[in-house]
Amino acid sequence: QLQLQESGPGPVKPSETLSLTCTVSGGSISRSSYYWGWIRQPPGKGLEWIGSIYYSGSTYYNPSLKSRVTISVDTSKNQFSLKLSSVTAADTAVYYCARESSSSSFDYWGQGTLVTVSS
Amino acid sequence: QSALTQPASVSGSPGQSITISCTGTSSDVGGYNYVSWYQQHPGKAPKLMIYDVSNRPSGVSNRFSGSKSGNTASLTISGLQAEDEADYYCSSYTSSSTLVFGTGTKVTVL
């Protein structure tokens, strides 16, 4: 059974860079036909797609976040990562990693991790 | 990109059927058959319920069905049960090669 787990260093201060890693177990991140994505959800609000990456390193991002987002992949560790720069309180959210199928649906999700931006 | 439009809330009695709409444009919902639906219970990760407009993943109840007409996709839950009370989100691929989620709908079982 495929499992995804987000991890990160905890609270982030305004203007700093948020960094999260998603570790995939029970399957290879290098399997073709799948992208790997990040989605976030501010407290009490809806879902927002951040961006996705293929195991080859090909990425696509939400235009509203593109200038601040970098998603990378480490196939040797079966992990992919998110970096969001110049964060503000508006970036406080539960961040999820998920597997994206060829039809752009997310079929496996991590449990999510709350990242708080606060001084 | 703008979020797809969903009603804020929909309610129904046990056993009834309800339908949640998801309205976009010809650049997203209307242009592709890549519409998905997710169920999210409080404090939990979203769960994929429908993909490619009308396909159910293995293990999802056949009480859930999806359809699309023009720029509007719909999720129908038949035989409503207490466990169906949750938030529901649609999503679509877009002509900009991005993804967009809907605004979300809270389903209440009366």
Side-chain angles (χ1 to χ4, degrees):
Chain A
Q1 176 76 347
L2 193 73
Q3 292 186 322
L4 294 85
Q5 179 68 57
E6 306 88 353
S7 60
V12 184
K13 291 182 168 54
S15 80
E16 294 187 342
T17 295
L18 176 161
S19 297
L20 293 173
T21 295
C22 182
T23 301
V24 179
S25 59
S28 173
I29 202 170
S30 300
R31 184 175 175 181
S32 61
S33 299
Y34 292 107
Y35 272 73
W36 303 88
W38 288 97
I39 301 101
R40 71 179 183 178
Q41 185 172 37
K45 297 187 178 181
L47 301 170
E48 180 180 35
W49 172 73
I50 299 171
S52 300
I53 190 166
Y54 197 56
Y55 74 91
S56 63
S58 174
T59 55
Y60 67 127
Y61 299 131
N62 186 325
S64 66
L65 298 170
K66 187 174 183 178
S67 64
R68 298 194 292 131
V69 172
T70 302
I71 298 176
S72 58
V73 63
D74 186 336
T75 55
S76 67
K77 295 181 178 179
N78 228 32
Q79 295 176 333
F80 62 106
S81 299
L82 168 70
K83 290 189 185 300
L84 180 66
S85 64
S86 304
V87 298
T88 69
D91 296 309
T92 293
V94 174
Y95 285 76
Y96 295 100
C97 59
R99 188 180 80 169
E100 181 187 336
S101 74
S102 58
S103 66
S104 300
S105 61
F106 294 101
D107 55 0
Y108 286 91
W109 294 67
Q111 65 185 22
T113 186
L114 175 63
V115 178
T116 302
V117 179
S118 174
S119 55
Chain B
Q1 57 189 19
S2 298
L4 307 175
T5 301
Q6 298 180 232
S9 63
V10 173
S11 62
S13 298
Q16 287 186 330
S17 292
I18 62 170
T19 297
I20 303 167
S21 61
C22 169
T23 301
T25 69
S26 59
S27 296
D28 38 63
V29 174
Y32 304 91
N33 286 326
Y34 292 151
V35 176
S36 304
W37 288 92
Y38 301 88
Q39 176 192 65
Q40 186 181 34
H41 287 109
K44 301 295 186 181
K47 174 186 177 183
L48 180 64
M49 304 302 284
I50 296 287
Y51 67 96
D52 292 355
V53 176
S54 60
N55 292 318
R56 277 187 312 275
S58 174
V60 172
S61 171
N62 59 9
R63 297 186 298 104
F64 292 84
S65 62
S67 63
K68 189 182 83 168
S69 177
N71 297 337
T72 298
S74 299
L75 174 71
T76 297
I77 308 174
S78 58
L80 198 62
Q81 299 180 0
E83 66 204 52
D84 300 332
E85 187 161 293
D87 293 327
Y88 291 82
Y89 295 90
C90 61
S91 74
S92 175
Y93 181 74
T94 82
S95 60
S96 301
S97 299
T98 61
L99 299 177
V100 62
F101 281 98
T103 51
T105 298
K106 180 176 181 58
V107 168
T108 300
V109 180
L110 302 172

